Amino acid sequence: MKVVESIKWSLESWVVGAKRAAPKGAVRILVTGDDKKAKSHLPSDLPKWMVQDALKSKKPVQSLGGRLGPIWWVRPMLWGREDAKAGHGGRLLSESYSQGRDALGQAVGQALDSGVKGIVIDFLDCDEKCVWGSLVGADMAAYQFCRVLKDEHPVRQVALTIKVNGKPLDLEPKKVAAKLAGAVNLARQLVNLPANALNPQSCAEATVRLFQKSKTSKVEVWTAQRLEKERMNLLLAVGQASQTPARLVKIHYRPKGKVKGRPLAFVGKGITFDTGGLDLKPSSGMRLMKKDMGGAAAILGLSWWVEQTQFPYPCDFYLALAENAVS
């Protein structure tokens, strides 16, 4: 599996069509923020019995069938309640941003899986946080790692129409949300890659390629010789038995124009695989050890977002990469 290509794919999960007008047969996704007005917002082409059943349901995402085509009804305010099977197991505080992100993400994911050519998203009585979170969730839903495993070309041409209270939403907010979702998907892709594909060397090379055309970010890779010179012996000790030696990746971001203040520093742990010693762990305890580099993945995603949005403050990002193994 080619790491660089797979990372590029994670940043291009789908392509929004140039035409704002929805094509014939486009699916409709209705996002309502005020449950008391829900009945008046539901399309008239839905059968009465279906409307009654939908209003009684406590599911945050419902798939309905109207005479004019399929409809997904999204009620973000129900996401995270005990009677709604939401994610995170109640460990994260629910707010309108995260509710919109997760609820609309589920609906968009289902719509894309059905092979649609167009999607119409209509926000009704939703606050600004809910709309922003929903736009991020839509792009996050387009990411599917299983398609990478099948070596498919996942970039999808989808005509997207977005309305807020009946008025078309300019595509600029969608582009801003896509940058944040892209950073999240980049981190997800790195975490999902297996240890035989992502190692300290391939991760460092992918980072260099990711920023090679940047005018504001510079990538520096420290090999074992430089790490020894800098007396970074703990990192060297962790990776000394691996066939791919340890690396330290430094990403220097300096925005255009006058630099404001001292650089912000971010450090991410990047243990691409941890064997847990020699047969000290059962196989079930080792399968997910590829996620031991989640900290570095999050920092790399953040650095990409900083670059894309031209964050006004200088930043330094450090990825401490090693494979913890035994010889």
Side-chain angles (χ1 to χ4, degrees), residues 68-257:
L68 300 179
I71 301 172
W72 272 269
W73 183 23
V74 180
R75 301 153 82 183
M77 80 292 296
L78 296 181
W79 193 270
R81 292 186 180 181
E82 294 181 357
D83 54 355
K85 295 181 179 179
H88 314 306
R91 292 184 293 273
L92 296 179
L93 180 65
S94 292
E95 59 172 1
S96 59
Y97 177 92
S98 60
Q99 288 173 331
R101 178 196 61 205
D102 294 348
L104 183 63
Q106 179 176 313
V108 169
Q110 294 175 2
L112 290 175
D113 285 341
S114 65
V116 299
K117 298 298 183 182
I119 298 177
V120 178
I121 303 176
D122 203 348
F123 294 96
L124 296 170
D125 299 316
C126 297
D127 60 38
E128 186 176 356
K129 284 186 177 181
C130 180
V131 175
W132 274 107
S134 298
L135 294 177
V136 173
D139 267 22
M140 288 177 60
Y143 167 82
Q144 291 182 338
F145 182 69
C146 62
R147 300 191 66 167
V148 180
L149 296 179
K150 297 178 182 178
D151 197 26
E152 297 179 356
H153 298 282
V155 177
R156 315 174 189 190
Q157 294 289 342
V158 179
L160 181 64
T161 301
I162 303 175
K163 299 179 181 179
V164 178
N165 295 324
K167 297 181 180 179
L169 179 70
D170 188 80
L171 285 182
E172 190 58 33
K174 175 67 178 63
K175 294 178 181 178
V176 175
K179 293 177 181 178
L180 178 55
V184 175
N185 288 339
L186 168 60
R188 294 165 76 189
Q189 179 67 12
L190 290 169
V191 171
N192 286 334
L193 283 170
N196 64 330
L198 187 72
N199 54 53
Q201 181 175 341
S202 63
C203 186
E205 292 173 352
T207 304
V208 172
R209 291 275 298 277
L210 188 64
F211 293 99
Q212 63 182 353
K213 296 182 180 179
S214 172
K215 296 182 180 179
T216 52
S217 294
K218 178 183 177 182
V219 179
E220 184 179 346
V221 179
W222 289 10
T223 61
Q225 291 76 13
R226 179 64 184 274
L227 292 174
E228 186 175 356
K229 181 180 179 181
E230 298 290 341
R231 302 178 66 183
M232 301 184 70
N233 297 318
L234 286 177
L235 184 59
L236 284 170
V238 172
Q240 66 181 343
S242 172
Q243 291 184 347
T244 53
R247 297 282 190 274
L248 180 76
V249 177
K250 298 176 64 177
I251 307 171
H252 302 268
Y253 169 77
R254 298 297 181 267
K256 297 177 181 179

